[in-house]
Amino acid sequence: AKIDAWRAAERMQFFHSLLLLVSPLVPEPSVTGALALTGITLFSGSVYLLVLLNDGNALRKILGPITPIGGLSLAASWASIIAYASW
Protein backbone atom coordinates (compact mmCIF):
# COMPACT_ATOMS: atom_id res chain seq x y z
CA ALA A 1 0.00 0.00 0.00
CA LYS A 2 2.84 2.38 0.76
CA ILE A 3 4.45 1.82 -2.62
CA ASP A 4 1.10 2.57 -4.29
CA ALA A 5 0.86 5.86 -2.40
CA TRP A 6 4.43 6.72 -3.38
CA ARG A 7 3.73 5.98 -7.04
CA ALA A 8 0.54 8.06 -6.97
CA ALA A 9 2.52 11.00 -5.55
CA GLU A 10 5.15 10.53 -8.26
CA ARG A 11 2.50 10.58 -11.01
CA MET A 12 0.83 13.67 -9.61
CA GLN A 13 4.18 15.43 -9.32
CA PHE A 14 5.13 14.50 -12.87
CA PHE A 15 1.89 15.51 -14.57
CA HIS A 16 1.59 18.74 -12.65
CA SER A 17 5.19 19.65 -13.39
CA LEU A 18 4.04 19.71 -17.03
CA LEU A 19 1.55 22.36 -15.94
CA LEU A 20 4.49 24.42 -14.71
CA LEU A 21 5.93 24.26 -18.23
CA VAL A 22 2.68 25.63 -19.68
CA SER A 23 2.12 28.31 -17.05
CA PRO A 24 4.31 30.96 -18.78
CA LEU A 25 1.84 30.91 -21.68
CA VAL A 26 -1.11 32.22 -19.64
CA PRO A 27 -1.73 35.93 -18.99
CA GLU A 28 -0.93 35.63 -15.26
CA PRO A 29 1.77 32.95 -15.08
CA SER A 30 2.70 33.78 -11.51
CA VAL A 31 -0.78 32.85 -10.28
CA THR A 32 -0.95 29.56 -12.15
CA GLY A 33 2.65 28.69 -11.35
CA ALA A 34 2.30 29.52 -7.67
CA LEU A 35 -0.85 27.41 -7.36
CA ALA A 36 0.79 24.48 -9.17
CA LEU A 37 4.01 24.67 -7.17
CA THR A 38 2.12 24.95 -3.90
CA GLY A 39 -0.10 22.03 -4.85
CA ILE A 40 2.78 19.82 -5.92
CA THR A 41 4.68 20.57 -2.73
CA LEU A 42 1.74 20.09 -0.38
CA PHE A 43 0.15 17.11 -2.11
CA SER A 44 3.12 15.03 -3.25
CA GLY A 45 5.37 16.20 -0.44
CA SER A 46 2.88 15.21 2.24
CA VAL A 47 2.28 11.82 0.63
CA TYR A 48 6.02 11.17 0.40
CA LEU A 49 6.43 12.05 4.06
CA LEU A 50 3.42 9.97 5.10
CA VAL A 51 5.00 6.96 3.39
CA LEU A 52 8.41 7.56 4.95
CA LEU A 53 7.30 8.28 8.53
CA ASN A 54 6.61 5.54 11.05
CA ASP A 55 2.96 4.94 11.89
CA GLY A 56 3.32 6.38 15.40
CA ASN A 57 4.96 9.62 14.32
CA ALA A 58 2.98 12.66 15.53
CA LEU A 59 3.74 14.54 12.30
CA ARG A 60 1.41 12.16 10.44
CA LYS A 61 -1.60 13.82 12.13
CA ILE A 62 -0.56 17.16 10.63
CA LEU A 63 0.31 15.82 7.19
CA GLY A 64 -2.99 14.01 6.64
CA PRO A 65 -5.06 17.21 6.36
CA ILE A 66 -2.37 18.92 4.25
CA THR A 67 -2.72 16.45 1.37
CA PRO A 68 -6.23 17.57 0.31
CA ILE A 69 -5.20 21.23 0.56
CA GLY A 70 -2.48 20.43 -1.97
CA GLY A 71 -5.06 18.73 -4.15
CA LEU A 72 -7.29 21.80 -4.04
CA SER A 73 -4.34 23.96 -5.02
CA LEU A 74 -3.63 21.69 -7.98
CA ALA A 75 -7.27 21.87 -9.06
CA ALA A 76 -7.17 25.67 -8.73
CA SER A 77 -4.08 25.81 -10.94
CA TRP A 78 -5.89 23.91 -13.70
CA ALA A 79 -8.96 26.10 -13.21
CA SER A 80 -6.80 29.19 -13.65
CA ILE A 81 -5.53 27.88 -16.98
CA ILE A 82 -9.08 27.14 -18.13
CA ALA A 83 -10.25 30.57 -16.97
CA TYR A 84 -7.42 32.34 -18.78
CA ALA A 85 -7.97 30.26 -21.92
CA SER A 86 -11.62 31.33 -22.08
CA TRP A 87 -10.76 35.07 -21.91
Side-chain angles (χ1 to χ4, degrees), residues 16 19-24 26 28-43 69-70 72-78 80-81 84:
H16 289 91
L19 177 65
L20 287 173
L21 294 175
V22 175
S23 66
V26 299
E28 293 291 335
S30 60
V31 173
T32 301
L35 287 168
L37 188 59
T38 300
I40 290 167
T41 302
L42 292 179
F43 183 86
I69 294 170
L72 286 173
S73 183
L74 291 171
S77 66
W78 285 105
S80 73
I81 285 200
Y84 290 132

PDB file of all heavy atoms in Angstrom, residues 16 19-24 26 28-43 69-70 72-78 80-81 84:
ATOM      1  N   HIS A  16       1.767  17.336 -12.994  1.00  0.00           N
ATOM      2  CA  HIS A  16       1.587  18.742 -12.649  1.00  0.00           C
ATOM      3  C   HIS A  16       2.849  19.559 -12.897  1.00  0.00           C
ATOM      4  O   HIS A  16       2.773  20.781 -13.031  1.00  0.00           O
ATOM      5  CB  HIS A  16       1.060  18.876 -11.224  1.00  0.00           C
ATOM      6  CG  HIS A  16      -0.361  18.430 -11.133  1.00  0.00           C
ATOM      7  ND1 HIS A  16      -0.694  17.130 -10.826  1.00  0.00           N
ATOM      8  CD2 HIS A  16      -1.521  19.082 -11.361  1.00  0.00           C
ATOM      9  CE1 HIS A  16      -2.005  17.012 -10.857  1.00  0.00           C
ATOM     10  NE2 HIS A  16      -2.534  18.184 -11.177  1.00  0.00           N
ATOM     11  N   LEU A  19       2.331  21.126 -16.066  1.00  0.00           N
ATOM     12  CA  LEU A  19       1.554  22.357 -15.937  1.00  0.00           C
ATOM     13  C   LEU A  19       2.462  23.555 -15.698  1.00  0.00           C
ATOM     14  O   LEU A  19       2.214  24.642 -16.211  1.00  0.00           O
ATOM     15  CB  LEU A  19       0.547  22.215 -14.794  1.00  0.00           C
ATOM     16  CG  LEU A  19      -0.301  23.425 -14.454  1.00  0.00           C
ATOM     17  CD1 LEU A  19      -1.228  23.762 -15.607  1.00  0.00           C
ATOM     18  CD2 LEU A  19      -1.100  23.162 -13.205  1.00  0.00           C
ATOM     19  N   LEU A  20       3.524  23.337 -14.946  1.00  0.00           N
ATOM     20  CA  LEU A  20       4.487  24.421 -14.715  1.00  0.00           C
ATOM     21  C   LEU A  20       5.152  24.854 -16.023  1.00  0.00           C
ATOM     22  O   LEU A  20       5.495  26.025 -16.190  1.00  0.00           O
ATOM     23  CB  LEU A  20       5.549  23.998 -13.704  1.00  0.00           C
ATOM     24  CG  LEU A  20       5.096  23.917 -12.251  1.00  0.00           C
ATOM     25  CD1 LEU A  20       6.209  23.330 -11.396  1.00  0.00           C
ATOM     26  CD2 LEU A  20       4.673  25.273 -11.743  1.00  0.00           C
ATOM     27  N   LEU A  21       5.336  23.911 -16.941  1.00  0.00           N
ATOM     28  CA  LEU A  21       5.928  24.256 -18.233  1.00  0.00           C
ATOM     29  C   LEU A  21       4.981  25.097 -19.093  1.00  0.00           C
ATOM     30  O   LEU A  21       5.419  25.912 -19.894  1.00  0.00           O
ATOM     31  CB  LEU A  21       6.318  22.986 -18.993  1.00  0.00           C
ATOM     32  CG  LEU A  21       7.429  22.155 -18.382  1.00  0.00           C
ATOM     33  CD1 LEU A  21       7.612  20.863 -19.172  1.00  0.00           C
ATOM     34  CD2 LEU A  21       8.725  22.941 -18.335  1.00  0.00           C
ATOM     35  N   VAL A  22       3.678  24.910 -18.907  1.00  0.00           N
ATOM     36  CA  VAL A  22       2.680  25.626 -19.680  1.00  0.00           C
ATOM     37  C   VAL A  22       2.345  26.973 -19.042  1.00  0.00           C
ATOM     38  O   VAL A  22       1.923  27.899 -19.735  1.00  0.00           O
ATOM     39  CB  VAL A  22       1.400  24.759 -19.809  1.00  0.00           C
ATOM     40  CG1 VAL A  22       0.276  25.501 -20.497  1.00  0.00           C
ATOM     41  CG2 VAL A  22       1.714  23.469 -20.538  1.00  0.00           C
ATOM     42  N   SER A  23       2.550  27.108 -17.769  1.00  0.00           N
ATOM     43  CA  SER A  23       2.116  28.315 -17.048  1.00  0.00           C
ATOM     44  C   SER A  23       2.666  29.625 -17.623  1.00  0.00           C
ATOM     45  O   SER A  23       1.960  30.634 -17.575  1.00  0.00           O
ATOM     46  CB  SER A  23       2.413  28.192 -15.554  1.00  0.00           C
ATOM     47  OG  SER A  23       3.788  28.159 -15.307  1.00  0.00           O
ATOM     48  N   PRO A  24       3.871  29.678 -18.196  1.00  0.00           N
ATOM     49  CA  PRO A  24       4.307  30.961 -18.776  1.00  0.00           C
ATOM     50  C   PRO A  24       3.464  31.429 -19.964  1.00  0.00           C
ATOM     51  O   PRO A  24       3.546  32.583 -20.355  1.00  0.00           O
ATOM     52  CB  PRO A  24       5.746  30.687 -19.221  1.00  0.00           C
ATOM     53  CG  PRO A  24       6.197  29.554 -18.390  1.00  0.00           C
ATOM     54  CD  PRO A  24       4.973  28.724 -18.167  1.00  0.00           C
ATOM     55  N   VAL A  26       0.150  31.587 -20.044  1.00  0.00           N
ATOM     56  CA  VAL A  26      -1.108  32.222 -19.637  1.00  0.00           C
ATOM     57  C   VAL A  26      -0.857  33.679 -19.268  1.00  0.00           C
ATOM     58  O   VAL A  26       0.281  34.066 -18.974  1.00  0.00           O
ATOM     59  CB  VAL A  26      -1.775  31.454 -18.472  1.00  0.00           C
ATOM     60  CG1 VAL A  26      -2.117  30.034 -18.873  1.00  0.00           C
ATOM     61  CG2 VAL A  26      -0.921  31.483 -17.233  1.00  0.00           C
ATOM     62  N   GLU A  28      -1.456  35.431 -16.608  1.00  0.00           N
ATOM     63  CA  GLU A  28      -0.931  35.627 -15.255  1.00  0.00           C
ATOM     64  C   GLU A  28      -0.154  34.378 -14.831  1.00  0.00           C
ATOM     65  O   GLU A  28      -0.630  33.589 -14.014  1.00  0.00           O
ATOM     66  CB  GLU A  28      -2.078  35.904 -14.268  1.00  0.00           C
ATOM     67  CG  GLU A  28      -2.787  37.203 -14.485  1.00  0.00           C
ATOM     68  CD  GLU A  28      -1.924  38.408 -14.149  1.00  0.00           C
ATOM     69  OE1 GLU A  28      -1.002  38.285 -13.337  1.00  0.00           O
ATOM     70  OE2 GLU A  28      -2.195  39.478 -14.716  1.00  0.00           O
ATOM     71  N   PRO A  29       1.033  34.183 -15.373  1.00  0.00           N
ATOM     72  CA  PRO A  29       1.766  32.948 -15.082  1.00  0.00           C
ATOM     73  C   PRO A  29       2.141  32.794 -13.611  1.00  0.00           C
ATOM     74  O   PRO A  29       2.245  31.672 -13.114  1.00  0.00           O
ATOM     75  CB  PRO A  29       3.011  33.043 -15.956  1.00  0.00           C
ATOM     76  CG  PRO A  29       3.154  34.481 -16.272  1.00  0.00           C
ATOM     77  CD  PRO A  29       1.775  35.065 -16.251  1.00  0.00           C
ATOM     78  N   SER A  30       2.300  33.896 -12.915  1.00  0.00           N
ATOM     79  CA  SER A  30       2.697  33.781 -11.512  1.00  0.00           C
ATOM     80  C   SER A  30       1.589  33.156 -10.676  1.00  0.00           C
ATOM     81  O   SER A  30       1.868  32.419  -9.723  1.00  0.00           O
ATOM     82  CB  SER A  30       3.105  35.141 -10.954  1.00  0.00           C
ATOM     83  OG  SER A  30       2.035  36.047 -11.029  1.00  0.00           O
ATOM     84  N   VAL A  31       0.336  33.427 -11.026  1.00  0.00           N
ATOM     85  CA  VAL A  31      -0.782  32.848 -10.280  1.00  0.00           C
ATOM     86  C   VAL A  31      -0.848  31.344 -10.532  1.00  0.00           C
ATOM     87  O   VAL A  31      -0.877  30.539  -9.592  1.00  0.00           O
ATOM     88  CB  VAL A  31      -2.116  33.524 -10.671  1.00  0.00           C
ATOM     89  CG1 VAL A  31      -3.299  32.809 -10.038  1.00  0.00           C
ATOM     90  CG2 VAL A  31      -2.099  34.991 -10.285  1.00  0.00           C
ATOM     91  N   THR A  32      -0.870  30.978 -11.805  1.00  0.00           N
ATOM     92  CA  THR A  32      -0.955  29.561 -12.154  1.00  0.00           C
ATOM     93  C   THR A  32       0.259  28.794 -11.628  1.00  0.00           C
ATOM     94  O   THR A  32       0.121  27.714 -11.052  1.00  0.00           O
ATOM     95  CB  THR A  32      -1.057  29.394 -13.685  1.00  0.00           C
ATOM     96  OG1 THR A  32      -2.214  30.093 -14.137  1.00  0.00           O
ATOM     97  CG2 THR A  32      -1.161  27.939 -14.085  1.00  0.00           C
ATOM     98  N   GLY A  33       1.435  29.354 -11.815  1.00  0.00           N
ATOM     99  CA  GLY A  33       2.651  28.694 -11.348  1.00  0.00           C
ATOM    100  C   GLY A  33       2.706  28.545  -9.850  1.00  0.00           C
ATOM    101  O   GLY A  33       3.102  27.494  -9.325  1.00  0.00           O
ATOM    102  N   ALA A  34       2.286  29.582  -9.131  1.00  0.00           N
ATOM    103  CA  ALA A  34       2.300  29.516  -7.668  1.00  0.00           C
ATOM    104  C   ALA A  34       1.313  28.469  -7.156  1.00  0.00           C
ATOM    105  O   ALA A  34       1.625  27.707  -6.225  1.00  0.00           O
ATOM    106  CB  ALA A  34       1.980  30.879  -7.073  1.00  0.00           C
ATOM    107  N   LEU A  35       0.131  28.422  -7.766  1.00  0.00           N
ATOM    108  CA  LEU A  35      -0.850  27.411  -7.363  1.00  0.00           C
ATOM    109  C   LEU A  35      -0.337  26.006  -7.638  1.00  0.00           C
ATOM    110  O   LEU A  35      -0.478  25.098  -6.810  1.00  0.00           O
ATOM    111  CB  LEU A  35      -2.180  27.644  -8.086  1.00  0.00           C
ATOM    112  CG  LEU A  35      -3.002  28.832  -7.620  1.00  0.00           C
ATOM    113  CD1 LEU A  35      -4.132  29.119  -8.613  1.00  0.00           C
ATOM    114  CD2 LEU A  35      -3.560  28.580  -6.229  1.00  0.00           C
ATOM    115  N   ALA A  36       0.273  25.805  -8.809  1.00  0.00           N
ATOM    116  CA  ALA A  36       0.790  24.483  -9.169  1.00  0.00           C
ATOM    117  C   ALA A  36       1.945  24.080  -8.252  1.00  0.00           C
ATOM    118  O   ALA A  36       1.983  22.952  -7.750  1.00  0.00           O
ATOM    119  CB  ALA A  36       1.236  24.465 -10.625  1.00  0.00           C
ATOM    120  N   LEU A  37       2.862  24.985  -8.029  1.00  0.00           N
ATOM    121  CA  LEU A  37       4.009  24.671  -7.175  1.00  0.00           C
ATOM    122  C   LEU A  37       3.578  24.392  -5.736  1.00  0.00           C
ATOM    123  O   LEU A  37       4.064  23.445  -5.105  1.00  0.00           O
ATOM    124  CB  LEU A  37       5.020  25.809  -7.219  1.00  0.00           C
ATOM    125  CG  LEU A  37       6.359  25.559  -6.541  1.00  0.00           C
ATOM    126  CD1 LEU A  37       7.052  24.353  -7.152  1.00  0.00           C
ATOM    127  CD2 LEU A  37       7.239  26.787  -6.668  1.00  0.00           C
ATOM    128  N   THR A  38       2.644  25.183  -5.247  1.00  0.00           N
ATOM    129  CA  THR A  38       2.117  24.949  -3.898  1.00  0.00           C
ATOM    130  C   THR A  38       1.424  23.597  -3.829  1.00  0.00           C
ATOM    131  O   THR A  38       1.622  22.832  -2.883  1.00  0.00           O
ATOM    132  CB  THR A  38       1.140  26.071  -3.506  1.00  0.00           C
ATOM    133  OG1 THR A  38       1.836  27.311  -3.527  1.00  0.00           O
ATOM    134  CG2 THR A  38       0.550  25.843  -2.134  1.00  0.00           C
ATOM    135  N   GLY A  39       0.609  23.308  -4.831  1.00  0.00           N
ATOM    136  CA  GLY A  39      -0.105  22.034  -4.851  1.00  0.00           C
ATOM    137  C   GLY A  39       0.819  20.836  -4.930  1.00  0.00           C
ATOM    138  O   GLY A  39       0.627  19.843  -4.230  1.00  0.00           O
ATOM    139  N   ILE A  40       1.822  20.920  -5.794  1.00  0.00           N
ATOM    140  CA  ILE A  40       2.782  19.818  -5.923  1.00  0.00           C
ATOM    141  C   ILE A  40       3.495  19.594  -4.597  1.00  0.00           C
ATOM    142  O   ILE A  40       3.638  18.457  -4.126  1.00  0.00           O
ATOM    143  CB  ILE A  40       3.808  20.106  -7.038  1.00  0.00           C
ATOM    144  CG1 ILE A  40       3.145  20.043  -8.409  1.00  0.00           C
ATOM    145  CG2 ILE A  40       4.979  19.123  -6.970  1.00  0.00           C
ATOM    146  CD1 ILE A  40       3.998  20.604  -9.533  1.00  0.00           C
ATOM    147  N   THR A  41       3.937  20.681  -3.985  1.00  0.00           N
ATOM    148  CA  THR A  41       4.679  20.568  -2.732  1.00  0.00           C
ATOM    149  C   THR A  41       3.807  19.999  -1.625  1.00  0.00           C
ATOM    150  O   THR A  41       4.220  19.069  -0.912  1.00  0.00           O
ATOM    151  CB  THR A  41       5.229  21.946  -2.318  1.00  0.00           C
ATOM    152  OG1 THR A  41       6.050  22.444  -3.369  1.00  0.00           O
ATOM    153  CG2 THR A  41       6.030  21.854  -1.037  1.00  0.00           C
ATOM    154  N   LEU A  42       2.601  20.550  -1.468  1.00  0.00           N
ATOM    155  CA  LEU A  42       1.737  20.094  -0.381  1.00  0.00           C
ATOM    156  C   LEU A  42       1.201  18.692  -0.628  1.00  0.00           C
ATOM    157  O   LEU A  42       1.195  17.856   0.279  1.00  0.00           O
ATOM    158  CB  LEU A  42       0.578  21.069  -0.178  1.00  0.00           C
ATOM    159  CG  LEU A  42       0.937  22.452   0.350  1.00  0.00           C
ATOM    160  CD1 LEU A  42      -0.314  23.315   0.476  1.00  0.00           C
ATOM    161  CD2 LEU A  42       1.661  22.368   1.674  1.00  0.00           C
ATOM    162  N   PHE A  43       0.741  18.418  -1.847  1.00  0.00           N
ATOM    163  CA  PHE A  43       0.152  17.107  -2.112  1.00  0.00           C
ATOM    164  C   PHE A  43       1.225  16.015  -2.136  1.00  0.00           C
ATOM    165  O   PHE A  43       1.228  15.122  -1.301  1.00  0.00           O
ATOM    166  CB  PHE A  43      -0.637  17.101  -3.419  1.00  0.00           C
ATOM    167  CG  PHE A  43      -1.308  15.777  -3.670  1.00  0.00           C
ATOM    168  CD1 PHE A  43      -2.549  15.528  -3.137  1.00  0.00           C
ATOM    169  CD2 PHE A  43      -0.685  14.790  -4.408  1.00  0.00           C
ATOM    170  CE1 PHE A  43      -3.166  14.289  -3.320  1.00  0.00           C
ATOM    171  CE2 PHE A  43      -1.284  13.560  -4.614  1.00  0.00           C
ATOM    172  CZ  PHE A  43      -2.532  13.317  -4.071  1.00  0.00           C
ATOM    173  N   ILE A  69      -5.429  19.806   0.868  1.00  0.00           N
ATOM    174  CA  ILE A  69      -5.200  21.229   0.564  1.00  0.00           C
ATOM    175  C   ILE A  69      -4.323  21.342  -0.678  1.00  0.00           C
ATOM    176  O   ILE A  69      -4.550  22.186  -1.548  1.00  0.00           O
ATOM    177  CB  ILE A  69      -4.572  21.946   1.779  1.00  0.00           C
ATOM    178  CG1 ILE A  69      -5.563  21.963   2.935  1.00  0.00           C
ATOM    179  CG2 ILE A  69      -4.135  23.359   1.409  1.00  0.00           C
ATOM    180  CD1 ILE A  69      -4.977  22.415   4.256  1.00  0.00           C
ATOM    181  N   GLY A  70      -3.315  20.477  -0.774  1.00  0.00           N
ATOM    182  CA  GLY A  70      -2.483  20.433  -1.974  1.00  0.00           C
ATOM    183  C   GLY A  70      -3.290  20.063  -3.201  1.00  0.00           C
ATOM    184  O   GLY A  70      -3.105  20.634  -4.283  1.00  0.00           O
ATOM    185  N   LEU A  72      -6.471  20.640  -3.679  1.00  0.00           N
ATOM    186  CA  LEU A  72      -7.287  21.802  -4.040  1.00  0.00           C
ATOM    187  C   LEU A  72      -6.456  22.846  -4.777  1.00  0.00           C
ATOM    188  O   LEU A  72      -6.928  23.471  -5.730  1.00  0.00           O
ATOM    189  CB  LEU A  72      -7.909  22.420  -2.786  1.00  0.00           C
ATOM    190  CG  LEU A  72      -9.055  21.641  -2.167  1.00  0.00           C
ATOM    191  CD1 LEU A  72      -9.465  22.272  -0.831  1.00  0.00           C
ATOM    192  CD2 LEU A  72     -10.238  21.592  -3.111  1.00  0.00           C
ATOM    193  N   SER A  73      -5.223  23.018  -4.348  1.00  0.00           N
ATOM    194  CA  SER A  73      -4.339  23.965  -5.018  1.00  0.00           C
ATOM    195  C   SER A  73      -4.042  23.511  -6.452  1.00  0.00           C
ATOM    196  O   SER A  73      -3.996  24.330  -7.375  1.00  0.00           O
ATOM    197  CB  SER A  73      -3.047  24.130  -4.225  1.00  0.00           C
ATOM    198  OG  SER A  73      -2.211  25.072  -4.816  1.00  0.00           O
ATOM    199  N   LEU A  74      -3.852  22.220  -6.632  1.00  0.00           N
ATOM    200  CA  LEU A  74      -3.635  21.694  -7.983  1.00  0.00           C
ATOM    201  C   LEU A  74      -4.865  21.913  -8.857  1.00  0.00           C
ATOM    202  O   LEU A  74      -4.754  22.326 -10.020  1.00  0.00           O
ATOM    203  CB  LEU A  74      -3.281  20.206  -7.925  1.00  0.00           C
ATOM    204  CG  LEU A  74      -1.917  19.870  -7.331  1.00  0.00           C
ATOM    205  CD1 LEU A  74      -1.779  18.366  -7.133  1.00  0.00           C
ATOM    206  CD2 LEU A  74      -0.804  20.412  -8.202  1.00  0.00           C
ATOM    207  N   ALA A  75      -6.033  21.652  -8.299  1.00  0.00           N
ATOM    208  CA  ALA A  75      -7.267  21.871  -9.061  1.00  0.00           C
ATOM    209  C   ALA A  75      -7.423  23.351  -9.410  1.00  0.00           C
ATOM    210  O   ALA A  75      -7.838  23.696 -10.524  1.00  0.00           O
ATOM    211  CB  ALA A  75      -8.471  21.376  -8.259  1.00  0.00           C
ATOM    212  N   ALA A  76      -7.075  24.225  -8.470  1.00  0.00           N
ATOM    213  CA  ALA A  76      -7.169  25.666  -8.731  1.00  0.00           C
ATOM    214  C   ALA A  76      -6.196  26.099  -9.825  1.00  0.00           C
ATOM    215  O   ALA A  76      -6.498  26.995 -10.613  1.00  0.00           O
ATOM    216  CB  ALA A  76      -6.907  26.441  -7.443  1.00  0.00           C
ATOM    217  N   SER A  77      -5.036  25.453  -9.893  1.00  0.00           N
ATOM    218  CA  SER A  77      -4.078  25.808 -10.944  1.00  0.00           C
ATOM    219  C   SER A  77      -4.627  25.445 -12.317  1.00  0.00           C
ATOM    220  O   SER A  77      -4.488  26.217 -13.273  1.00  0.00           O
ATOM    221  CB  SER A  77      -2.718  25.153 -10.696  1.00  0.00           C
ATOM    222  OG  SER A  77      -2.792  23.749 -10.809  1.00  0.00           O
ATOM    223  N   TRP A  78      -5.271  24.280 -12.425  1.00  0.00           N
ATOM    224  CA  TRP A  78      -5.894  23.907 -13.696  1.00  0.00           C
ATOM    225  C   TRP A  78      -7.062  24.827 -14.010  1.00  0.00           C
ATOM    226  O   TRP A  78      -7.259  25.219 -15.168  1.00  0.00           O
ATOM    227  CB  TRP A  78      -6.350  22.451 -13.668  1.00  0.00           C
ATOM    228  CG  TRP A  78      -5.224  21.499 -13.804  1.00  0.00           C
ATOM    229  CD1 TRP A  78      -4.663  20.733 -12.817  1.00  0.00           C
ATOM    230  CD2 TRP A  78      -4.477  21.211 -14.990  1.00  0.00           C
ATOM    231  NE1 TRP A  78      -3.626  19.994 -13.323  1.00  0.00           N
ATOM    232  CE2 TRP A  78      -3.489  20.268 -14.654  1.00  0.00           C
ATOM    233  CE3 TRP A  78      -4.551  21.663 -16.292  1.00  0.00           C
ATOM    234  CZ2 TRP A  78      -2.590  19.757 -15.581  1.00  0.00           C
ATOM    235  CZ3 TRP A  78      -3.642  21.163 -17.228  1.00  0.00           C
ATOM    236  CH2 TRP A  78      -2.690  20.222 -16.859  1.00  0.00           C
ATOM    237  N   SER A  80      -7.327  27.896 -13.199  1.00  0.00           N
ATOM    238  CA  SER A  80      -6.801  29.188 -13.649  1.00  0.00           C
ATOM    239  C   SER A  80      -6.418  29.132 -15.124  1.00  0.00           C
ATOM    240  O   SER A  80      -6.629  30.104 -15.857  1.00  0.00           O
ATOM    241  CB  SER A  80      -5.626  29.628 -12.785  1.00  0.00           C
ATOM    242  OG  SER A  80      -4.466  28.874 -13.051  1.00  0.00           O
ATOM    243  N   ILE A  81      -5.865  28.012 -15.560  1.00  0.00           N
ATOM    244  CA  ILE A  81      -5.528  27.876 -16.981  1.00  0.00           C
ATOM    245  C   ILE A  81      -6.790  27.884 -17.834  1.00  0.00           C
ATOM    246  O   ILE A  81      -6.857  28.546 -18.872  1.00  0.00           O
ATOM    247  CB  ILE A  81      -4.705  26.588 -17.243  1.00  0.00           C
ATOM    248  CG1 ILE A  81      -3.298  26.815 -16.758  1.00  0.00           C
ATOM    249  CG2 ILE A  81      -4.754  26.179 -18.699  1.00  0.00           C
ATOM    250  CD1 ILE A  81      -2.267  25.908 -17.317  1.00  0.00           C
ATOM    251  N   TYR A  84      -8.183  31.455 -17.909  1.00  0.00           N
ATOM    252  CA  TYR A  84      -7.423  32.336 -18.781  1.00  0.00           C
ATOM    253  C   TYR A  84      -7.608  31.973 -20.266  1.00  0.00           C
ATOM    254  O   TYR A  84      -7.593  32.847 -21.122  1.00  0.00           O
ATOM    255  CB  TYR A  84      -5.936  32.303 -18.420  1.00  0.00           C
ATOM    256  CG  TYR A  84      -5.624  32.953 -17.094  1.00  0.00           C
ATOM    257  CD1 TYR A  84      -4.813  32.315 -16.172  1.00  0.00           C
ATOM    258  CD2 TYR A  84      -6.123  34.205 -16.772  1.00  0.00           C
ATOM    259  CE1 TYR A  84      -4.527  32.913 -14.956  1.00  0.00           C
ATOM    260  CE2 TYR A  84      -5.843  34.801 -15.559  1.00  0.00           C
ATOM    261  CZ  TYR A  84      -5.036  34.162 -14.650  1.00  0.00           C
ATOM    262  OH  TYR A  84      -4.749  34.741 -13.450  1.00  0.00           O
TER     263      TYR A  84
END
